[in-house]
Amino acid sequence: MTPSSTNNTAQLRQNVRYLGEILGQVIQSQGDAGLFDAVEAIRLQSKESRDDDNQEALRALLTELNDKQILDVARAFSHFLNLANIAEQHHTVADYSQTFFSAAASLEGAFRQLSADHETHRVHAVLKKLSIDLVLTAHPTEITRRTLIHKHGEINDCLTRLETLRDNPAETSRDYGRLKELVSQIWHTEEFRTERPTPIDEARWAFAVIENSLWDAVPQFLRVVDDVCERFDLPTPPPEWSPITLSSWIGGDRDGNPNVTANVTREVLLLAQWQACTLLEGDIATLYEELSITTASDALKAQAEGALEPYRFVLKPLRDRLQAQRLHIEKTLEGELEGPPPLTMSEVIAPLEACYESLQMVSLGVLARGCLLDTLRRAHCFGPYLIQLDIRQESARHTQAISELTEALAVGNYQDWSEHQRCEWLRAELHNPRPLLPRDWNPTPETQEVIDTFFVIAETPQSALGSYVISMAAEASDVLAVQLLLKATGCGTEMLVAPLFETLDDLESAPRVIEELLSDAAYCARCDHQIMVMIGYSDSAKDAGMLAAGWAQYSAQEALLKVCKDADVKLQLFHGRGGSIGRGGAPAHDALLSQPPGSLENGLRVTEQGEMIRTKLGLTPLAVNTLGRYASAILQANLTPPPEPAKEWRLLMNQLATDSCEDYRRWVRDEPSFVPYFRQATPEQELASLPLGSRPTRRRSDGGISSLRAIPWIFAWSQNRLMLPAWLGAGSALAKAAAGGHEATLKTMAQKWPFFGARLSMLEMVFAKSDLTIAELYDRLLVTSELANLGAALRQQLSDDRSVLLGILETETELEHDTWGRESIDLRDIYTAPLNLLQAELLRRQRGNPDKATERALMVTIAGVAAGMRNTG
């Protein structure tokens, strides 16, 4: 059986079936016919209906397996899911699905709509201001090894060639053989790291994504923009137009992660620069070979001092400089040399621009707009430092540092001061020209580490850095404290200091805090009348539930926009979204168009996290299409903003937020059995011991839910298919509103208000991925009888909430109008369900009689279920 040319999801299913058959052949080739027969019997049983009897039949097949078979069956189904995901990713970028997913289609659709409603010059003006800043972050639920990710990418390439060259038997035969090789390699490769990755490992992983995908995706995306502009008679963007920025938290995010130290940050910055030099050096070497021509402008000839090959003459010093910088960095990393002298953006850009301008002047634009233009655009985007590294630290660490400092200065204990006292002292010291840090000061190791981080910032070129993010920010003093520490360590005031408002209370206080900061003319001058504010999606949802948190995020953005507009200050909103619904995840286009009007005026800055980096940016075509969806949504939002919510909708949304928060907290905070139930019904305890990321799963080891990070909180619930953080509280609030006579208003809001419609769409997706039968099985195997009633009540709540949602949407099943989404879930669920059942059994065994073999099989099921659920953390 081979991939056919059948269109749409039929083609996807054919590819999934074909890859599955190859995996089956690999398993059979090991001579274990029993394993293949067991896998096939389990797969066929899983395809049957999802009633309780069928689930028991499936479980009966699984319980017959011995320890070795359990591991191999878990590996088989986990690999099936990864192969299915590869086929689905391929489907989204293949020619036959271009209408739905491609960057060209996204931008053409946006331009067509905007050109019909607006004059061309307005569309062009908004395009010129386009800004997309993707902030890559490490993810403790991304557990796929880099070597496997590379093989997955090769499988995608094979599928592409098979469909492109299907009429060339010799070529297709070669690719069929290569597919079998790759699947066999995957089956015989260890799936997991044996040790937890370091922040350096995580940084290398992110840089590999840039090298293998984004390095080509950025210029390809910009060429798509060029083509669309030409089609719609808009001016083609100039070479220096650089709407894409790549930033990172990896190696800079020390919030609750003791493994990220000042030395680690310094090393990551060097590694990023090394990667940039290596990639640019390769590009310049290619240009050097290609630009052997002798025709040049007088200006370039003068610069080349009469050389026969002027372009090579101009490019050679840049090639040599990049090589020397790369070698110096290597010796620095080996401890043989001090850090290299800065390599500036102008050093990289100037020779490339000189060549480009010369070729244009002598009517060789076809050469100027070839690989030279791509290199020039890469240089503008990535520069000599590859990424801009953000630094993140928790506000309490700054408070501790300032407190130790004030005590050393004998002016009191800063921690004991009121907010007013803190701000007065901080503002006075920001104006004081004398050095602040005493020469004989001996701070605690924790504070010394904070100060050392600021010294790393001081020694780093500003263009290699992004913003300084303060997590758990709550007051103006949190921002002023960081500004003072920057000043005290010689960093200057150029670095943007971004408070991150995370909890419900902090989001509600955010406008007041920013207004207080902007009331100080000196503050506005220091930040050059532009500020960045980060909106936290993860912790606010964990704190208050997804519906209340979503409304708090929307309201905070609205109020912040007004505060900054009144103060004549430019506001850059920074969205800390994750992949899952409980962390602000949603389809990119819909999520952006559901934000408040004006919120994208200064561009988009958003976190891209872990497995979502791989899903959205891991392959060049995927990355190009992701950029296209972001760009089209930003253009639409800025030229045709979403409607302001009607007064009636605001009032009802306020009540929905209040009711949903109360119900969510009633379960999570007030129910004394909730935490014990959570730890029994999910693999939360086991996640902490698995080598999934450099950052601990908890901020503190002695806390309950409040100390647990949002990512493992959501990840654990997705494993047992209850998906609780993504829906709890929302359905009961909707039911109360509908029963109170607001059903018609809810339906109108769903249809006419993008914010509310997007929330209901997210709920619909969550309910489609949940599985009450599987959740009940986890309870039956893992939860004590004293807690069983709580699990039953939560499952009943989910069932009731689902009915309420379908009533408002006026549909009979989830995703009734999204056949692609429904197909995608159903396709993977055949393989996910057996892994869920295996996982529940393995958790029971591991908690009763732990051993390494069971732990490894458990890891495989966790990875497999994560692959099946896709946006899990």
Side-chain angles (χ1 to χ4, degrees):
M1 148 75 224
T2 62
S4 77
S5 59
T6 310
N7 208 346
N8 296 329
T9 56
Q11 175 69 66
L12 169 62
R13 286 184 174 276
Q14 296 245 11
N15 283 343
V16 170
R17 192 177 305 123
Y18 179 63
L19 291 173
E21 286 178 1
I22 292 178
L23 180 59
Q25 292 167 12
V26 169
I27 293 171
Q28 278 184 303
S29 70
Q30 306 312 300
D32 189 349
L35 173 61
F36 175 79
D37 292 342
V39 169
E40 191 61 11
I42 292 165
R43 185 184 70 83
L44 292 172
Q45 185 67 50
S46 185
K47 288 181 69 174
E48 299 296 324
S49 64
R50 278 298 152 80
D51 58 36
D52 290 345
D53 289 342
N54 189 63
Q55 205 81 317
E56 281 303 311
L58 179 58
R59 184 166 176 255
L61 285 173
L62 295 171
T63 53
E64 293 173 2
L65 304 174
N66 60 39
D67 288 349
K68 172 70 166 58
Q69 289 173 320
I70 280 183
L71 175 60
D72 287 341
V73 167
R75 292 186 69 234
F77 279 91
S78 183
H79 286 310
F80 270 131
L81 280 163
N82 281 315
L83 292 172
N85 285 342
I86 294 166
E88 184 176 327
Q89 285 186 333
H90 168 74
H91 183 75
T92 65
V93 296
D95 288 341
Y96 50 76
S97 59
Q98 175 171 301
T99 306
F100 304 104
F101 299 107
S102 76
S106 297
L107 285 171
E108 279 185 26
F111 274 53
R112 189 174 295 109
Q113 177 186 336
L114 296 172
S115 297
D117 298 335
H118 303 278
E119 296 177 359
T120 301
H121 73 90
R122 288 197 62 201
V123 178
H124 182 239
V126 171
L127 178 64
K128 282 172 62 178
K129 288 183 63 180
L130 179 67
S131 174
I132 302 170
D133 187 350
L134 305 181
V135 185
L136 308 181
T137 74
H139 201 299
T141 60
E142 171 54 88
I143 51 182
T144 306
R145 290 181 61 199
R146 278 170 57 189
T147 184
L148 289 175
I149 291 171
H150 177 72
K151 297 179 197 304
H152 294 171
E154 280 208 60
I155 289 174
N156 177 80
D157 294 341
C158 286
L159 291 176
T160 300
R161 288 193 298 271
L162 283 170
E163 289 172 5
T164 305
L165 304 170
R166 62 170 58 92
D167 296 327
N168 186 329
E171 291 294 331
T172 55
S173 176
R174 185 178 297 114
D175 282 309
Y176 290 143
R178 181 59 178 156
L179 273 178
K180 291 174 183 177
E181 284 179 31
L182 289 165
V183 174
S184 183
Q185 289 173 18
I186 287 169
W187 179 253
H188 291 286
T189 295
E190 179 64 42
E191 292 97 332
F192 305 105
R193 319 172 185 97
T194 55
E195 297 180 354
R196 191 177 290 274
T198 67
I200 301 297
D201 295 329
E202 292 171 331
R204 290 182 190 277
W205 179 86
F207 300 158
V209 171
I210 293 174
E211 178 183 9
N212 297 326
S213 169
L214 288 164
W215 191 255
D216 289 328
V218 168
Q220 283 186 29
F221 165 72
L222 294 175
R223 286 194 177 275
V224 170
V225 175
D226 290 344
D227 292 343
V228 174
C229 285
E230 189 174 336
R231 227 166 285 156
F232 285 86
D233 294 322
L234 290 170
T236 302
E240 66 272 15
W241 184 62
S242 184
I244 311 299
T245 301
L246 265 296
S247 300
S248 178
W249 277 13
I250 306 174
D253 179 10
R254 58 241 311 121
D255 173 22
N257 189 350
N259 300 307
V260 179
T261 63
N263 286 333
V264 163
T265 297
R266 185 181 287 110
E267 184 173 350
V268 167
L269 286 163
L270 283 170
L271 286 169
Q273 189 180 166
W274 179 90
Q275 185 73 74
C277 289
T278 301
L279 293 171
L280 285 168
E281 187 184 344
D283 279 11
I284 302 305
T286 300
L287 286 175
Y288 187 87
E289 289 301 315
E290 294 207 351
L291 294 181
S292 57
I293 55 178
T294 57
T295 306
S297 67
D298 291 341
L300 193 75
K301 287 178 180 178
Q303 189 175 341
E305 301 174 3
L308 181 62
E309 296 176 330
Y311 297 94
R312 286 182 167 179
F313 183 93
V314 169
L315 290 172
K316 186 177 184 300
L318 174 57
R319 186 190 65 182
D320 295 345
R321 175 77 169 92
L322 288 166
Q323 183 184 62
Q325 189 80 346
R326 173 176 57 79
L327 294 174
H328 192 128
I329 293 169
E330 289 173 5
K331 291 188 178 296
T332 300
L333 290 168
E334 291 167 2
E336 297 178 17
L337 291 175
E338 293 294 319
L343 176 60
T344 65
M345 179 70 89
S346 61
E347 287 181 84
V348 176
I349 295 293
L352 296 172
E353 284 186 337
C355 292
Y356 181 87
E357 289 166 4
S358 172
L359 290 169
Q360 291 283 29
M361 287 185 68
V362 298
S363 301
L364 289 176
V366 66
L367 297 180
R369 299 190 70 79
C371 63
L372 173 58
L373 178 59
D374 288 345
T375 301
L376 192 49
R377 283 172 160 173
R378 286 191 187 105
H380 277 292
C381 174
F382 298 99
Y385 301 108
L386 193 72
I387 48 98
Q388 293 184 337
L389 187 69
D390 280 5
I391 306 297
R392 183 168 80 133
Q393 182 59 278
E394 190 177 2
S395 59
R397 293 292 298 274
H398 306 131
T399 300
Q400 178 187 348
I402 299 288
S403 295
E404 292 183 29
L405 183 56
T406 56
E407 290 196 316
L409 295 170
V411 295
N413 188 331
Y414 175 85
Q415 202 151 6
D416 295 336
W417 296 349
S418 68
E419 173 64 13
H420 176 74
Q421 286 176 294
R422 290 182 180 187
C423 288
E424 286 293 304
W425 185 82
L426 292 167
R427 288 184 177 119
E429 288 300 326
L430 280 163
H431 285 290
N432 196 326
R434 65 162 171 77
L436 181 64
L437 304 182
R439 289 186 178 181
D440 58 350
W441 186 35
N442 291 307
T444 61
E446 293 80 10
T447 290
Q448 186 62 58
E449 179 59 43
V450 170
I451 300 299
D452 288 345
T453 299
F454 282 98
F455 282 128
V456 170
I457 295 171
E459 71 189 35
T460 302
Q462 189 60 40
S463 54
L465 296 169
S467 60
Y468 193 111
V469 179
I470 310 165
S471 57
M472 291 298 171
E475 297 292 347
S477 61
D478 292 326
V479 177
L480 297 175
V482 171
Q483 287 194 329
L484 181 59
L485 290 170
L486 286 167
K487 171 181 174 287
T489 50
C491 300
T493 58
E494 294 178 9
M495 192 174 196
L496 281 173
V497 178
L500 166 53
F501 297 104
E502 301 181 75
T503 67
L504 189 65
D505 288 345
D506 290 343
L507 283 167
E508 291 173 350
S509 299
R512 171 188 59 78
V513 172
I514 299 302
E515 187 171 24
E516 181 178 340
L517 287 168
L518 299 185
S519 66
D520 178 8
Y523 174 83
C524 294
R526 279 196 304 275
C527 65
D528 195 23
H529 288 81
Q530 55 183 338
I531 65 167
M532 180 184 292
V533 176
M534 185 169 180
I535 303 296
Y537 290 74
S538 307
D539 283 284
S540 58
K542 184 165 74 75
D543 178 37
M546 65 85 73
L547 193 60
W551 182 233
Q553 293 148 13
Y554 186 98
S555 302
Q557 290 177 65
E558 273 192 321
L560 287 167
L561 287 165
K562 184 179 185 307
V563 166
C564 290
K565 183 179 179 181
D566 291 346
D568 194 25
V569 166
K570 179 181 176 182
L571 170 64
Q572 170 70 73
L573 288 166
F574 178 12
H575 302 275
R577 297 181 185 274
S580 62
I581 304 302
R583 302 190 61 238
H589 194 271
D590 294 345
L592 295 182
L593 291 178
S594 70
Q595 291 181 191
S599 59
L600 292 168
E601 187 176 335
N602 293 315
L604 171 70
R605 193 172 207 255
V606 64
T607 53
E608 297 288 359
Q609 306 191 346
E611 90 264 11
M612 299 312 295
I613 295 176
R614 186 156 48 91
T615 301
K616 294 160 68 175
L617 306 171
L619 301 173
T620 296
L622 283 173
V624 172
N625 293 350
T626 295
L627 293 172
R629 287 194 292 275
Y630 278 145
S632 63
I634 294 167
L635 295 174
Q636 285 180 255
N638 286 335
L639 265 176
T640 310
E644 295 259 3
K647 183 178 179 180
E648 180 186 13
W649 301 353
R650 285 185 185 278
L651 292 173
L652 183 53
M653 196 62 231
N654 286 335
Q655 191 59 51
L656 287 169
T658 299
D659 292 340
S660 65
C661 181
E662 286 179 358
D663 193 57
Y664 175 87
R665 288 176 172 176
R666 175 176 65 84
W667 288 101
V668 175
R669 290 188 180 182
D670 300 338
E671 170 55 59
S673 301
F674 183 83
V675 172
Y677 171 76
F678 165 58
R679 289 179 172 159
Q680 290 183 25
T682 73
E684 183 263 340
Q685 301 171 76
E686 289 73 18
L687 283 173
S689 64
L690 299 182
L692 305 186
S694 71
R695 191 167 68 170
T697 58
R698 292 181 177 275
R699 283 190 167 94
R700 301 180 305 278
S701 61
D702 58 345
I705 298 298
S706 61
S707 70
L708 185 69
R709 291 191 175 278
I711 296 173
W713 158 250
I714 291 165
F715 187 78
W717 284 112
S718 71
Q719 290 282 310
N720 78 345
R721 305 291 290 276
L722 195 58
M723 313 287 287
L724 180 140
W727 59 265
L728 187 63
S732 57
L734 292 169
K736 184 177 178 180
H742 299 292
E743 186 171 3
T745 305
L746 292 172
K747 291 179 179 179
T748 302
M749 290 164 63
Q751 294 168 3
K752 296 186 176 181
W753 187 16
F755 166 79
F756 191 69
R759 292 299 167 289
L760 297 194
S761 293
M762 287 188 244
L763 279 174
E764 190 180 15
M765 176 65 75
V766 166
F767 290 147
K769 289 186 174 184
S770 65
D771 191 310
L772 292 177
T773 304
I774 288 176
E776 191 275 333
L777 175 70
Y778 275 70
D779 279 13
R780 187 150 34 101
L781 291 181
L782 304 172
V783 174
T784 60
S785 57
E786 296 83 3
L787 301 175
N789 287 340
L790 178 56
L794 286 167
R795 292 193 298 278
Q796 184 61 52
Q797 184 71 60
L798 187 153
S799 180
D800 293 344
D801 291 359
R802 176 182 176 275
S803 298
V804 170
L805 177 68
L806 295 179
I808 294 170
L809 297 176
E810 299 182 286
T811 60
E812 294 185 6
T813 60
E814 301 98 342
L815 305 179
E816 199 171 278
H817 304 299
D818 182 7
T819 54
W820 162 256
R822 184 76 259 177
E823 285 268 345
S824 176
I825 291 172
D826 291 344
L827 186 68
R828 295 195 302 271
D829 212 26
I830 295 168
Y831 307 107
T832 310
L835 285 169
N836 278 124
L837 271 61
L838 277 174
Q839 183 182 105
E841 173 62 24
L842 289 165
L843 284 168
R844 185 188 67 80
R845 294 185 188 183
Q846 186 69 358
R847 290 174 185 180
N849 186 24
D851 64 68
K852 288 293 182 183
T854 303
E855 182 182 67
R856 184 175 176 225
L858 182 58
M859 283 181 66
V860 172
T861 66
I862 289 172
V865 172
M869 302 303 289
R870 295 293 290 272
N871 47 353
T872 56

